C-alpha cells in the first residue's frame, strides 16, 4: 500500500510539472539578449517604482502571463500563500508606521491611518509582483539560454543565475513531494491501526519534520551537483560550447532597440511618478493616459505568448 501511494504521489507531481510547463513561451524565437533586457527592465520597474497604479499594472501583467502560460487554475492556486502575506503586511505596517491624515479607527488607543494601510498594501503587492515576474523569468529565459548568453563572458555568474532560477521551483516541488509522502505514510498508519493516540494533532511537529527533511535534501543535492560538475570537468577549459547555438540576427537587433526605446519610455513614466507621496496625504495619481505605455509594457509577455502559441501550435 505504501509503494502504491508513493507511486501515485510521484506520478501526480510529474503530471502537474509537465502540465504547468509552457510548451512555447514568449520571446521563444528571439535571441536570449532580447528577453534578458526585457526582464531586467521589468524587474527593475517593479521593485523600484512604489506607485499604486504602476505596481498594480505590474501585478496584472504577471498574472496575465501566468494565466496564458500555465493556465488560470494553477496561477490562482499559487496565490494561496501570497494573498495571506499581502493581508499580513497590510495589517502590520499601520502598527509600525502611525502616520497619515485619514484616521480609520483606533483599536486599544493605537491609531490606524488609511495612508499607512495603503502603503503596506502597495509594498505587499510589489513583493507579490516581483515573485511572479521571477517565476515568469524562469519560463521566458530558461537555463540553456542563460548559459548561452553569459557562458563564455562570465561562466560562473551565468551558472549561479541559472541554478538560482531553478532552485526555488525545485525546492517548492520537493516540499510538496515530502508533504505528500508524509500524508501517505500517515494514512497507511491509520489503516493498519498502529497510529498513536493524539498524533493527528501533531501538525506542527510534522511540518517541522518536513522542513528538516527538505533542508537535508537541499544540502545533499548541492553536494551531488558539485561532485557531478567536477566529474564533468567544469572549469577545465577557458571557453565552453553550448548545446543550443543562438545567432544574433538583424531581427534581434531591431527587437533589442525597440525594447530599449520602449523601456526608456516606461522608465520616464516611473521617474515622473516617483514624486508620489503617501504621507502625510496621498499625492494625486496624475493623468491616467500617462500609464498606457507602462501597461502595454507589462502585458507584452502575455500577448507574445498568445501570438507565438497560435503560430507554433
Amino acid at each position: 500500500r505504501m509503494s502504491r501511494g508513493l507511486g501515485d504521489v510521484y506520478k501526480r507531481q510529474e503530471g502537474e510539472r509537465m502540465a504547468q510547463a509552457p510548451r512555447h513561451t514568449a520571446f521563444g524565437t528571439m535571441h536570449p539578449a532580447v528577453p534578458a533586457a526585457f526582464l531586467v527592465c521589468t524587474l527593475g520597474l517593479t521593485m523600484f517604482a512604489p506607485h499604486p497604479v504602476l505596481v498594480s499594472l505590474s501585478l496584472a501583467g504577471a498574472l496575465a502571463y501566468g494565466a496564458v502560460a500555465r493556465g488560470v487554475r494553477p496561477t490562482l492556486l499559487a496565490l494561496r500563500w501570497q494573498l495571506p502575506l499581502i493581508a499580513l503586511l497590510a495589517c502590520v505596517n499601520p502598527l509600525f508606521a502611525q502616520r497619515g491624515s485619514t484616521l480609520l479607527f483606533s483599536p486599544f488607543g493605537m491609531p490606524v491611518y488609511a495612508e499607512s494601510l495603503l502603503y503596506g498594501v502597495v509594498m505587499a503587492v510589489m513583493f507579490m509582483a516581483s515573485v511572479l515576474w521571477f517565476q515568469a523569468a524562469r519560463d521566458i529565459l530558461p537555463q540553456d539560454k542563460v548559459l548561452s548568453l553569459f557562458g563564455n563572458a562570465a561562466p560562473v555568474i551565468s551558472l549561479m543565475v541559472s541554478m538560482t532560477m531553478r532552485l526555488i521551483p525545485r525546492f517548492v516541488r520537493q516540499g510538496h513531494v515530502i508533504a505528500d509522502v508524509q500524508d501517505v505514510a500517515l494514512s497507511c498508519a491509520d489503516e493498519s491501526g498502529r497510529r498513536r493516540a493524539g498524533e493527528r494533532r501533531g501538525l506542527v511537529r510534522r511540518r517541522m519534520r518536513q522542513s528538516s527533511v527538505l533542508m537535508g535534501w537541499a544540502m545533499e543535492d548541492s553536494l551531488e551537483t558539485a561532485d557531478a560538475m567536477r566529474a564533468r570537468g567544469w572549469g577545465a577549459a577557458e571557453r565552453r560550447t553550448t548545446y543550443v547555438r543562438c545567432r544574433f540576427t538583424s531581427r534581434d537587433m531591431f527587437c533589442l532597440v525597440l525594447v530599449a526605446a520602449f523601456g526608456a519610455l516606461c522608465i520616464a513614466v516611473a521617474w515622473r511618478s516617483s514624486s508620489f507621496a503617501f504621507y502625510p496625504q496621498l499625492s494625486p495619481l496624475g493623468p491616467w493616459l500617462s500609464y498606457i505605455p507602462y501597461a502595454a509594457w507589462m502585458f507584452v509577455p502575455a500577448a507574445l505568448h498568445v501570438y507565438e502559441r497560435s503560430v507554433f501550435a
Side-chain angles (χ1 to χ4, degrees):
R1 189 184 301 112
M2 176 73 75
S3 61
R4 288 198 304 268
L6 294 180
D8 294 339
V9 167
Y10 282 104
K11 287 181 181 179
R12 185 172 67 253
Q13 292 290 335
E14 185 66 19
E16 292 177 357
R17 186 184 66 84
M18 296 299 295
Q20 294 180 9
R23 291 174 296 178
H24 197 82
T25 61
F27 303 97
T29 59
M30 301 179 186
H31 190 272
V34 179
F38 180 87
L39 290 172
V40 168
C41 187
T42 301
L43 289 171
L45 291 172
T46 301
M47 293 185 291
F48 297 103
H51 190 278
V53 177
L54 302 185
V55 170
S56 301
L57 290 175
S58 178
L59 177 62
L63 288 174
Y65 177 78
V68 300
R70 289 176 295 274
V72 177
R73 187 173 182 274
T75 302
L76 295 179
L77 289 178
L79 303 180
R80 290 177 297 180
W81 66 273
Q82 296 175 0
L83 293 179
L85 179 62
I86 291 180
L88 178 63
L89 293 178
C91 295
V92 168
N93 185 70
L95 302 179
F96 294 94
Q98 299 176 2
R99 302 167 57 188
S101 57
T102 306
L103 180 63
L104 296 178
F105 46 87
S106 181
F108 306 105
M110 185 176 298
V112 176
Y113 295 94
E115 290 78 10
S116 60
L117 186 64
L118 179 61
Y119 183 81
V121 172
V122 170
M123 292 297 105
V125 172
M126 178 186 296
F127 173 77
M128 180 177 174
S130 301
V131 171
L132 291 176
W133 278 119
F134 273 109
Q135 187 176 5
R138 181 196 63 187
D139 300 331
I140 296 174
L141 200 65
Q143 183 182 7
D144 55 343
K145 290 190 175 182
V146 174
L147 291 176
S148 64
L149 183 62
F150 301 106
N152 291 327
V156 178
I157 295 178
S158 63
L159 180 65
M160 290 176 59
V161 171
S162 61
M163 293 183 66
T164 302
M165 290 174 62
R166 67 190 292 264
L167 174 63
I168 296 178
R170 289 189 63 200
F171 209 71
V172 173
R173 284 200 303 269
Q174 189 67 20
H176 290 321
V177 170
I178 295 172
D180 290 340
V181 170
Q182 287 186 348
D183 293 339
V184 170
L186 198 60
S187 62
C188 292
D190 286 339
E191 294 177 4
S192 60
R194 295 193 303 266
R195 180 78 178 270
R196 293 195 303 269
E199 191 176 352
R200 186 180 296 276
R201 295 190 296 270
L203 179 61
V204 176
R205 184 171 59 182
R206 287 197 291 122
R207 296 310 177 197
M208 292 294 293
R209 188 185 303 119
Q210 176 184 350
S211 302
S212 176
V213 173
L214 187 60
M215 293 300 176
W217 169 84
M219 291 186 288
E220 182 180 358
D221 183 73
S222 62
L223 293 176
E224 291 179 354
T225 302
D227 293 339
M229 291 178 60
R230 187 180 298 108
R232 295 174 183 176
W234 172 263
E238 296 182 359
R239 295 181 62 86
R240 298 181 60 88
T241 58
T242 56
Y243 180 74
V244 180
R245 185 176 296 275
C246 301
R247 298 185 181 277
F248 192 80
T249 61
S250 57
R251 173 176 173 268
D252 298 322
M253 175 60 72
F254 173 77
C255 293
L256 190 60
V257 172
L258 186 62
V259 166
F262 203 1
L265 179 61
C266 294
I267 292 174
V269 173
W271 181 265
R272 182 182 177 277
S273 303
S274 61
S275 59
F276 181 85
F278 290 88
Y279 309 110
Q281 293 181 346
L282 296 178
S283 301
L285 296 178
W288 291 96
L289 292 178
S290 61
Y291 303 124
I292 294 179
Y294 200 93
W297 173 276
M298 293 300 173
F299 283 92
V300 162
L304 276 180
H305 184 86
V306 173
Y307 170 74
E308 294 191 5
R309 188 172 58 180
S310 63
V311 172
F312 293 95

